[in-house]
Amino acid sequence: MTRIRTTHVGSLVRTPELVEILRAREYGEPVDADRHAEVLAAAVADVVRRQVELGLDVVSDGEYGKSDSWSRYIRERLGGFTVSAASDPTAGRSNVPPGTDKHLFGEFYAEYEAGQGFVGGGGEWRATGPVHYTGAAAVGRDIANLTAALPDGAEGFLPVVAPASAVPRPTHDFYSSDEELLFAVADALNQEYRAVVDAGLTVQIDDAHFAIAYDTMRGDLAAYRPWAELRTEALVRALDGIPPERARYHVCWGSWNAPHVGDVPLRAIVDLILRVPVQTYSLEQANPRHEHEWRVWEDVLLPDDKVLMPGLVSHATNVVEHPELVAERILRLAKLVGPERVVASSDCGFAQGPLVRRVHPTVQWAKLGALVEGARLAEQRL
């Protein structure tokens, strides 16, 4: 019987105890470092256990070690930047940059973002000196917590940010161009990527801003393609020395559950995605705005040594997918690229960050259970 392996994109809803600590940090309140470390290690051990018991083949730490969102966590791990003071550190910040979607659905976004739970009005992140990696201790802690929680023989992965998503709107005084800054960021991120794979884990490169920028540019493909090509070059550089079979690349259209009518079509960027030197590509397939794009693989050749990791359950709705639907989504793709090159996954993370979740945690686990059950059904039919 052909085995359909299962995983997810990485971010899981944080525990109440961990949220309490991270919320205090966001608001600038004092946090006991020893208690944070203790709560974090226990939470990672529990979330890994639950994933393994559910039957997932490749599991993560839930991104529990990240102090901020899936991408902004890197601000604590890169030197050479300064952050201007936020006008109001307790005010909510916008999650979605202005673009086509916000232009068409301004009233929706005014209501939606007010209730999302983001903290901090922001502040400009500007490169004022040479960029260098300072996150060895932080990534070391995340690696140690995950590896300690993994049972013998289990596979683990850690999600990390891509250069394009680390500095989606680059500003700098020290560098002469955006390209020079991006490549410096790529060289720094390479140290984080290497630390993950050197520990025997798989590294997942998260790059939502790679696709989001198209919406920000109001669908101007002529302007977007050069922007995206430069970011692809930077990611290739960041992956220098990383074995492709130990790396996967996650591209999504943003985790917010909103209209998404300004999203870039997969067909417009699939050549750039395939240029990234990893073995596995994680793409949304359960998202109703992108589910139809499985047909891209009818005429786009997936290289023989590459694997698709389609999202088969959505992070953006509390409706739990039926396992039969999951199986159907697996089978139609397996017929195109071969079942051995399909890894069942989720569309995106179930939590945007420690304080913003997309579904209720009980629904999260039900969805992952449906994912596993659907994979078993697909195996039987293959």
Side-chain angles (χ1 to χ4, degrees):
M1 180 184 292
T2 299
R3 171 78 175 176
I4 300 295
R5 288 161 56 76
T6 56
T7 186
H8 62 97
V9 167
S11 182
L12 300 172
V13 178
R14 277 54 161 182
T15 64
E17 295 80 10
L18 194 54
V19 167
E20 177 186 2
I21 292 171
L22 295 175
R23 178 176 285 113
R25 282 191 49 164
E26 284 280 344
Y27 280 104
E29 299 171 4
V31 171
D32 184 296
D34 291 338
R35 179 173 180 272
H36 181 197
E38 181 181 347
V39 169
L40 175 59
V44 171
D46 182 65
V47 80
V48 168
R49 175 188 59 78
R50 293 194 66 172
Q51 292 171 75
V52 172
E53 289 179 351
L54 201 61
L56 291 166
D57 294 301
V58 190
V59 304
S60 79
D61 68 340
E63 297 195 52
Y64 283 11
K66 293 180 177 176
S67 57
D68 202 330
S69 74
W70 62 277
S71 61
R72 288 170 63 94
Y73 83 94
I74 202 64
R75 295 189 175 196
E76 296 184 349
R77 302 187 187 186
L78 291 182
F81 289 88
T82 58
V83 183
S84 60
S87 57
D88 181 358
T90 65
R93 67 171 182 257
S94 176
N95 178 28
V96 185
T100 300
D101 228 41
K102 275 195 167 179
H103 174 71
L104 294 175
F105 300 99
E107 292 181 4
F108 164 79
Y109 275 104
E111 178 180 302
Y112 173 76
E113 290 196 303
Q116 284 299 290
F118 282 96
V119 177
E124 186 180 61
W125 201 45
R126 176 178 290 272
T128 54
V131 173
H132 55 284
Y133 188 64
T134 62
V139 75
R141 176 205 61 198
D142 293 345
I143 290 168
N145 283 336
L146 177 56
T147 54
L150 286 172
D152 290 343
E155 295 183 52
F157 74 96
L158 280 179
V160 299
V161 70
S165 293
V167 283
R169 291 171 289 279
T171 55
H172 46 88
D173 299 322
F174 183 81
Y175 293 98
S176 61
S177 65
D178 288 357
E179 177 178 350
E180 190 178 355
L181 170 61
L182 278 165
F183 285 174
V185 169
D187 290 340
L189 291 176
N190 178 261
Q191 297 182 53
E192 180 152 294
Y193 301 177
R194 284 177 181 265
V196 174
V197 298
D198 287 349
L201 302 170
T202 292
V203 64
Q204 175 179 294
I205 314 301
D206 286 340
D207 207 4
H209 283 286
F210 180 77
I212 292 168
Y214 177 86
D215 176 87
T216 305
M217 296 180 186
R218 298 290 188 93
D220 184 349
L221 189 60
Y224 171 77
R225 279 289 301 197
W227 182 97
E229 287 172 0
L230 175 59
R231 271 72 187 170
T232 303
E233 289 181 30
L235 179 53
V236 170
R237 179 162 172 160
L239 285 163
D240 180 54
I242 304 298
E245 66 275 11
R246 299 283 299 285
R248 55 199 216 185
Y249 183 40
H250 170 64
V251 175
C252 71
W253 286 262
S255 71
W256 55 87
N257 42 352
H260 283 281
V261 300
D263 288 358
V264 63
L266 174 60
R267 189 173 294 276
I269 58 173
V270 67
D271 62 316
L272 297 178
I273 291 171
L274 291 176
R275 198 181 297 174
V276 177
V278 300
Q279 183 181 70
T280 303
Y281 300 101
S282 165
L283 302 167
E284 296 189 52
Q285 188 179 300
N287 179 337
R289 194 70 196 175
H290 295 276
E291 181 174 0
H292 67 286
E293 291 181 321
W294 66 273
R295 289 190 175 276
V296 164
W297 304 106
E298 291 178 331
D299 52 78
V300 172
L301 178 66
L302 182 70
D304 291 342
D305 59 343
K306 303 300 183 181
V307 173
L308 293 180
M309 195 176 104
L312 307 173
V313 296
S314 173
H315 60 286
T317 172
N318 281 291
V319 177
V320 178
E321 291 80 359
H322 198 287
E324 290 282 358
L325 177 60
V326 173
E328 286 183 10
R329 287 170 169 167
I330 292 171
L331 290 171
R332 67 192 182 193
L333 198 56
K335 289 177 182 177
L336 294 178
V337 303
E340 71 284 353
R341 295 203 287 164
V342 177
V343 177
S345 184
S346 59
D347 264 354
C348 194
F350 291 106
Q352 168 76 14
L355 307 182
V356 180
R357 68 189 193 190
R358 299 306 185 196
V359 300
H360 192 273
T362 58
V363 174
Q364 164 190 273
W365 293 111
K367 282 174 171 284
L368 292 175
L371 178 73
V372 173
E373 187 177 348
R376 302 293 83 81
L377 289 173
E379 288 172 358
Q380 295 169 15
R381 289 161 195 175
L382 286 165

